[in-house]
Amino acid sequence: MGDLGGKVAIVTGAGAGLGREEALQLARQGARVVVNDIPAARERAQAVVDAIKGIGSEAVAVFGDCADTADAGRLFRTAIETFGDVNIVVNNAGFTRDKTLYGMTDEEFDSVVRVHLRGHFVNMRNAAQYWREKAKSGPVYGRLVSTSSEAMLFAAPGQPNYAPAKAGIVSLAIGAAALLQKLGVTSNVILPRARTAMTENMPHAHLFAAPATGFDVFSPANVAPMVGYLASPSAAHISGEVFVVWGNRVTIVQRPRLDVFYDNPQGGQWTIEGLHTTLAGYFTAAHKPVVDGYAVPPQ
């Protein structure tokens, strides 16, 4: 179970944190791994390649901007030229520039959305095009694993760039799942809670600190087995799903449902008065219009 012998995986942002652990996890399962990161992370990425080789698998590092079409194309071509195929794409790369809506600049918004959302898009597009073409001559093995965040659920007020980008990733991945299912390709999303470079500057960063003893709840290594499972043959029937992953817990995020509705009892178009009378039964005085649902539980 979980055997990825002979498979080829691309992991973006694999020089450190979650990406590093995911690359190592896939390698332990037998995959040959293309470790992608920015040029500034060259030494860290090469260290991941060396670690993968140390456990008996194969790896190569490719440096570039995950959201740049040319760089993403070179990444994909290198995987095929080096290992002959691409079977798994884990989109992980990202960064934050947190500010409230009051003070965020265009560049701070665009740069974060670009790396997260466009970075997912260009690599998913390359994989989808490759698998569609390959499927013309026989079965393909394809797995997409995207990385979103609980910020997309709770719309953190200090992240008007990051949270919408992460919401877009979920929509993109679920759409890809519907498109690619006829090829036998799966597409799923993880929402990890882990100690990474992005958590270091968060207001509650201290909650992510490693404990002196006992289980390290927020170690990024805790997230990696879920990625390995979704990439494996055992998860071939799981697609279009979203999972919160952290510590020793996996939470399945339920798909949105249209389960509360009201029809105009008078028939025809609603009036303002009719809407107020009807909806007042749902939006009572106890209703909270703003809910800060994102809270990191104590260790």
Side-chain angles (χ1 to χ4, degrees):
M1 181 173 289
D3 178 35
L4 295 176
K7 302 297 188 292
V8 179
I10 292 173
V11 183
T12 70
L18 286 165
R20 176 184 184 277
E21 297 298 335
E22 291 161 356
L24 290 169
Q25 174 69 42
L26 295 172
R28 284 191 291 268
Q29 291 172 236
R32 294 166 289 173
V33 184
V34 181
V35 175
N36 171 245
D37 216 316
I38 59 176
R42 183 176 298 271
E43 290 186 8
R44 295 197 305 267
Q46 189 58 52
V48 176
V49 169
D50 294 341
I52 289 173
K53 291 180 177 179
I55 60 178
S57 192
E58 299 177 71
V60 63
V62 179
F63 304 99
D65 178 353
C66 71
D68 180 82
T69 300
D71 284 358
R74 183 168 53 84
L75 168 64
F76 214 84
R77 287 193 302 274
T78 301
I80 295 171
E81 291 167 0
T82 305
F83 298 127
D85 203 357
V86 173
N87 307 107
I88 301 155
V89 176
V90 181
N91 281 304
N92 167 77
F95 72 103
T96 56
R97 288 188 178 179
D98 294 353
K99 280 186 182 177
T100 66
L101 191 60
Y102 299 126
M104 181 165 288
T105 66
D106 290 355
E107 192 277 333
E108 288 165 339
F109 180 87
D110 291 344
S111 61
V112 170
V113 172
R114 178 184 177 278
V115 169
H116 287 275
L117 185 52
R118 180 184 164 91
H120 272 67
F121 164 71
V122 293
N123 288 286
M124 291 169 72
R125 179 180 61 187
N126 288 345
Q129 290 173 342
Y130 173 73
W131 290 327
R132 181 179 64 172
E133 188 62 28
K134 190 174 182 181
K136 294 177 182 178
S137 56
V140 300
Y141 188 102
R143 300 286 188 270
L144 292 172
V145 180
S146 298
T147 307
S148 182
S149 165
E150 287 171 272
M152 77 94 185
L153 290 170
F154 304 116
Q159 296 179 315
N161 47 7
Y162 178 77
K166 289 303 192 182
I169 287 169
V170 172
S171 181
L172 178 64
I174 293 175
L179 175 68
L180 299 174
Q181 61 178 335
K182 63 184 177 181
L183 304 181
V185 172
T186 69
S187 174
N188 293 288
V189 187
I190 60 167
L191 281 56
R193 295 185 195 174
R195 183 174 56 255
T196 69
M198 288 198 298
T199 65
E200 292 176 357
N201 298 318
M202 297 174 70
H204 49 271
H206 64 284
L207 296 176
F208 287 90
T213 60
F215 181 51
D216 185 356
V217 175
F218 296 112
S219 168
N222 299 331
V223 177
M226 188 64 183
V227 172
Y229 174 62
L230 292 174
S232 76
S234 303
H237 60 299
I238 301 173
S239 192
E241 302 294 343
V242 181
F243 304 90
V244 178
V245 187
W246 64 287
N248 55 9
R249 176 174 294 177
V250 173
T251 301
I252 300 170
V253 179
Q254 294 297 310
R255 296 171 181 171
R257 298 182 301 175
L258 303 176
D259 58 355
V260 179
F261 63 91
Y262 300 94
D263 293 324
N264 186 354
Q266 306 303 319
Q269 187 183 69
W270 282 96
T271 64
I272 298 298
E273 292 80 6
L275 284 168
H276 175 70
T277 300
T278 301
L279 296 182
Y282 184 88
F283 296 107
T284 66
H287 181 80
K288 296 180 179 180
V290 176
V291 178
D292 182 13
Y294 183 70
V296 177
Q299 297 184 42

